[in-house]
């Protein structure tokens, strides 16, 4: 008090209202370095701000420095924190984008060989660990864990393939498997089953093998003791073995 008065009245609240600062500006989100990673960031913040992945700011985190690091892709909210003199500001929404998916570096080798009695398919190289590989006989249908052919295909068989893995763009392609009949040149002829002259045509029987494979085919008929027979391969084999004596008695 002054003038005609004296004394003081201390520590009285005035009821002054807090001011409200504007929402943060100049913020920018950066993607993680890899798809599904958690090293994304938001730049343009300062120590007066806080952020949360919830628009309600549950479990808000105070910013330190000029950037927020260690973020997965997603939507984040940043605002100026409440203080003794100011309310919390409205939030600024910042998107941390997802990193682009990688492309596979896969090579396909076709198969084209003569019949050998073993199953064969296309060969994929460059498939990363953890990837899922599915095959199909029709484009767009990938329902098999493997797809191989053993018998002669007569023509190229198309094998469709799809490779998937988190963080990668799907790899969809195709290759071919061609198995041709095996030539029987150099095949071994076993002993003929016994034949006795009867005056009528008879069909000889002897096993033909090549490289541990039993050759399918037919022997031409013989009638006389001196007649010779010719073997004609079929099925998975091709070629002939001509003029073989049957040993007819």
């Amino acid at each position: 008090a002054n003038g005609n008065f004296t004394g003081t009245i201390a520590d009285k609240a005035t009821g002054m209202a807090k001011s409200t600062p504007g929402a943060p500006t100049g913020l920018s989100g950066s993607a993680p370095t890899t798809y599904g990673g958690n090293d994304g960031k938001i730049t343009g913040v300062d120590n007066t701000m806080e952020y949360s992945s919830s628009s309600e700011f549950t479990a808000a985190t105070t910013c330190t420095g000029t950037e927020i690091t260690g973020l997965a892709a997603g939507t984040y909210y940043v605002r100026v924190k409440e203080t003794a003199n100011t309310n919390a500001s409205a939030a600024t929404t910042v998107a941390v984008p997802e990193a682009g998916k990688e492309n596979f570096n896969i090579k396909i080798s076709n198969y084209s060989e003569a019949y050998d009695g073993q199953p064969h398919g296309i060969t994929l190289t460059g498939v990363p660990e953890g990837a899922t590989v599915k095959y199909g006989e029709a484009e767009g249908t990938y329902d098999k864990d493997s797809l191989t052919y053993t018998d002669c295909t007569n023509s190229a068989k198309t094998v469709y393939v799809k490779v998937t893995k988190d963080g990668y763009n799907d790899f969809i392609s195709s290759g071919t498997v061609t198995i041709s009949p095996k030539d029987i040149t150099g095949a071994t002829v076993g002993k003929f089953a016994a034949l006795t002259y009867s005056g009528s045509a008879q069909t000889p029987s002897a096993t033909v093998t090549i490289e541990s494979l039993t050759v399918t085919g037919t022997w031409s008929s013989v009638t006389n003791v001196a007649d010779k027979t010719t073997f004609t391969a079929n099925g998975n084999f091709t070629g002939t073995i001509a003029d073989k004596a049957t040993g007819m008695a």
Side-chain angles (χ1 to χ4, degrees):
N2 57 25
N4 295 316
F5 303 90
T6 185
T8 59
I9 301 172
D11 300 328
K12 299 298 290 184
T14 64
M16 180 186 291
K18 290 183 177 182
S19 62
T20 301
T25 60
L27 307 183
S28 178
S30 298
T33 55
T34 58
Y35 181 83
N38 59 357
D39 59 349
K41 61 184 179 180
I42 297 173
T43 57
V45 300
D46 60 41
N47 295 344
T48 68
M49 301 177 191
E50 62 184 356
Y51 74 95
S52 176
S53 59
S54 166
S55 60
E56 301 299 322
F57 278 83
T58 53
T61 302
T62 298
C63 298
T64 57
T66 59
E67 62 182 26
I68 305 165
T69 59
L71 301 178
T75 300
Y76 296 88
Y77 304 90
V78 183
R79 69 183 180 185
V80 177
K81 294 186 296 182
E82 183 178 11
T83 69
N85 294 315
T86 60
N87 295 313
S89 72
T92 297
T93 302
V94 183
V96 173
E98 183 60 89
K101 292 185 177 182
E102 296 183 55
N103 290 320
F104 288 108
N105 185 24
I106 295 174
K107 305 297 182 185
I108 292 179
S109 297
N110 299 326
Y111 182 84
S112 181
E113 296 289 345
Y115 172 78
D116 65 0
Q118 301 298 315
H120 297 284
I122 61 175
T123 301
L124 275 63
T125 55
V127 178
E129 184 178 354
T132 299
V133 182
K134 288 288 189 178
Y135 300 89
E137 297 176 284
E139 188 172 9
T141 300
Y142 311 98
D143 55 356
K144 302 179 185 299
D145 292 329
S146 66
L147 180 54
T148 59
Y149 296 89
T150 301
D151 293 331
C152 291
T153 60
N154 297 316
S155 59
K157 292 287 189 181
T158 301
V159 177
Y160 299 93
V161 60
K162 181 177 182 180
V163 184
T164 58
K165 185 180 181 182
D166 193 33
Y168 287 78
N169 293 308
D170 291 350
F171 175 85
I172 297 175
S173 190
S174 64
T176 59
V177 175
T178 306
I179 300 176
S180 57
K182 184 172 185 62
D183 191 283
I184 63 170
T185 300
T188 300
V189 178
K191 184 178 180 179
F192 280 92
L195 289 176
T196 302
Y197 175 76
S198 67
S200 300
Q202 300 180 70
T203 302
S205 175
T207 300
V208 178
T209 59
I210 185 168
E211 297 176 8
S212 301
L213 299 171
T214 299
V215 180
T216 58
T218 59
W219 291 99
S220 61
S221 61
V222 294
T223 301
N224 301 305
V225 170
D227 289 348
K228 293 186 177 181
T229 183
T230 295
F231 180 81
T232 302
N234 58 26
N236 291 314
F237 302 89
T238 185
T240 59
I241 300 171
D243 300 328
K244 301 296 289 186
T246 65
M248 180 186 291

